[in-house]
Amino acid sequence: MIWTIWKKEVESYFSSPLAYVLIGLFSLITGIMFFNLLVTYTDGVQAIPQDMAQNISFVEEVVLKLFANINFLFLIFIPLLTMKLFSEEKRLETIDLFWLSPTKEWQVVLAKGLSALSLVVSMLFMTIIFPLIIWGVGVKDLSLLGTSYLSVLLNACCYISLGLFCSSITRNQIISGLLSILGILFLWMITWGGHLNSNYMISEIFNYIGITSHFERILRGLLGTQDIIYYLSFIFIFGFLTVKSLGRRNW
Amino acid sequence: MINIDKILVVDNVSREFPGRKAVTNVSFEVKQGSIHGFLGPNGAGKSTTMRMIAGLLPPTSGEITVLGERVFGDNSNLKNKIGLLPENAPLFLDMSVEKYLHFVAKLHGVKNLNEQVERVMTELSLIDVRRRLIGNLSKGYKQRVGLAQALVYDAPFLILDEPTNGLDPQTVVELRDYIRRLALQKTILFSSHILPEVEQLCDQITIIHQGRVRATGNLTEIHKKFRQGLVLKIGLKMGEDLPDLSHFGKYDVTQEHLVGKEQQFHVIFEDDADCRSELGKYLISCGLNLLTLQVESPELEDIFLQVTETKK
């Protein structure tokens, strides 16, 4: 059942220009970012004495910054992918097709979530060319590449689950998209709020609830149990809320 | 014990939405193998009731059973036994007809998938448009695809919410014929605004108005129930006049018109005892040429108007 719905959703993405436009735009923007980071790095290295230049980490200056920027791009790209997943189906009443069949709400949520994730993976797949270029020009230190990809993928999963929930509570896809963007911004702002607070306990709580601290830890290869628990519980909670929101038609 | 004679039992069902009651204490039954007409003006609660029967909307109170099983019980298998064509057919406009039907069939776990999809596409004349996107089809074809969606998993009970609404006359006739053929194998609950259509297709009807059932049962019984007295059509030779009939009871001549060379009178007797035999003899004994003498049933439209107007 999940496979059937996933396949239909992915085909639906690729039957409209949306998927191609998003993947193309994403590749273009990340390409420009990569180029800029690379130029800034080489300019920086050339501007200082050779012994000091060794202290400037390529991974730190290019790889990590690139993935942090990719995370920033998701603020717009993922709500664009998720905004119509339920809202449009509710508006057109095609969602009833699922409820007329023995399909369960969680199966629909999981299938739609996986279809959006598939598109994110397609976008990220286009960025594989950057490490290949770096490798090709002789930079062999790509130590944090794996965890960098993992960090943006985990963030994408959270944004998708949040986006699915926003899409399930309205029939208007514009409202759904705006709610998702605001939700993601809020997740970032919680961590900023933590930095501004002088109380250690409150600051730590804010840090844990906000997504940024977990993202940065994984990005730097410091994946811990608390981060795994955070991501899993985030995805589960919003997945659960989406299932409940869809089940509300029964009340 | 399951009473399979009644495929649907709606028992005292009510549904409230915030600030309004959509349906109140609705009860009716649908017999197996029948086409049951569901009538009511706009906003009467037809679609709400149909959505509740299909399991899309739970009632606030009351119970609905289909094939002896509670619609809102823990019985996902029942979903494969009810086919619904809602007022707005749930169509994915960016899918081709064939892919869409495959998708719906897969959702219902249909085993002989290709066979079933081919069957409904053939029956509904969709073969020629099978690879076309649904969004590019005409309204008539879209409605056929919507109906195909309800049939592709071969449910024994079909709910059709105004299936002929907004279609061209030729498609309407084709769809009606198809529905009539379907009724040989399935039970159908059919809502419509078009009363002659209901009279043609349905043997049982339920009239709903302002969220309440106003009349339900066999069409003949309903006719009988709403007949006020005995309505007779009496045809005499052109130029002949009706004599005084007061010794048969209090009566009123409501219409008088010429049909060919026959002068026809519609006479309503307050007492509904059938007096045709005596009346016929009497008219002949008066030297009149009696050409027609038959009981007239009120039109469904009259009943519908009577039901929906008097109880406002």
Side-chain angles (χ1 to χ4, degrees), chain B residues 46-159:
Chain B
K46 294 192 300 291
S47 294
T48 304
T49 310
M50 287 179 138
R51 285 175 70 80
M52 286 195 286
I53 296 167
L56 291 176
L57 194 71
T60 312
S61 63
E63 197 168 276
I64 301 168
T65 48
V66 172
L67 287 158
E69 292 181 73
R70 283 182 61 235
V71 170
F72 285 91
D74 185 21
N75 46 359
S76 57
N77 194 34
L78 186 59
K79 303 238 175 192
N80 288 335
K81 295 178 183 166
I82 306 172
L84 170 72
L85 171 62
E87 203 174 346
N88 301 315
L91 303 172
F92 292 116
L93 305 180
D94 57 353
M95 281 178 111
S96 73
V97 173
E98 192 172 7
K99 272 195 174 170
Y100 170 75
L101 293 176
H102 267 272
F103 177 69
V104 177
K106 277 184 192 167
L107 285 184
H108 286 270
V110 173
K111 291 200 171 65
N112 45 349
L113 203 99
N114 292 326
E115 206 177 290
Q116 288 289 354
V117 172
E118 278 309 308
R119 177 184 63 81
V120 289
M121 284 199 302
T122 311
E123 284 177 7
L124 284 157
S125 311
L126 291 167
I127 296 287
D128 291 344
V129 294
R130 64 195 298 164
R131 297 198 206 294
R132 283 181 61 187
L133 292 183
I134 296 172
N136 296 338
L137 296 178
S138 66
K139 187 166 182 187
Y141 269 113
K142 279 182 186 157
Q143 195 70 344
R144 281 170 202 237
V145 179
L147 185 56
Q149 149 298 120
L151 291 167
V152 76
Y153 47 98
D154 208 15
F157 178 45
L158 283 180
I159 304 169

Side-chain angles (χ1 to χ4, degrees), chain A residues 198-212:
Chain A
S198 55
N199 184 310
Y200 176 75
M201 273 304 287
I202 293 173
S203 169
E204 279 301 295
I205 291 169
F206 273 44
N207 259 338
Y208 188 79
I209 297 172
I211 202 166
T212 316

Side-chain angles (χ1 to χ4, degrees), chain A residues 13-14 19 22-23 81 114-124:
Chain A
Y13 274 131
F14 285 98
L22 287 185
I23 292 174
L81 287 179
L114 287 176
S115 70
L117 185 62
S118 305
L119 223 75
V120 171
V121 170
S122 312
M123 287 177 181
L124 289 175

Side-chain angles (χ1 to χ4, degrees), chain A residues 7-19:
Chain A
K7 193 164 164 266
K8 182 244 154 207
E9 290 299 328
V10 171
E11 282 178 1
S12 169
Y13 274 131
F14 285 98
S15 69
S16 75
L18 180 77

Side-chain angles (χ1 to χ4, degrees), chain A residues 1 12 96 99-100 250-251, chain B residues 15 51 58 79 94 107-108:
Chain A
M1 199 71 81
S12 169
D96 288 347
W99 316 143
L100 285 168
N250 291 338
W251 303 341
Chain B
R15 172 71 208 194
R51 285 175 70 80
K79 303 238 175 192
D94 57 353
L107 285 184
H108 286 270

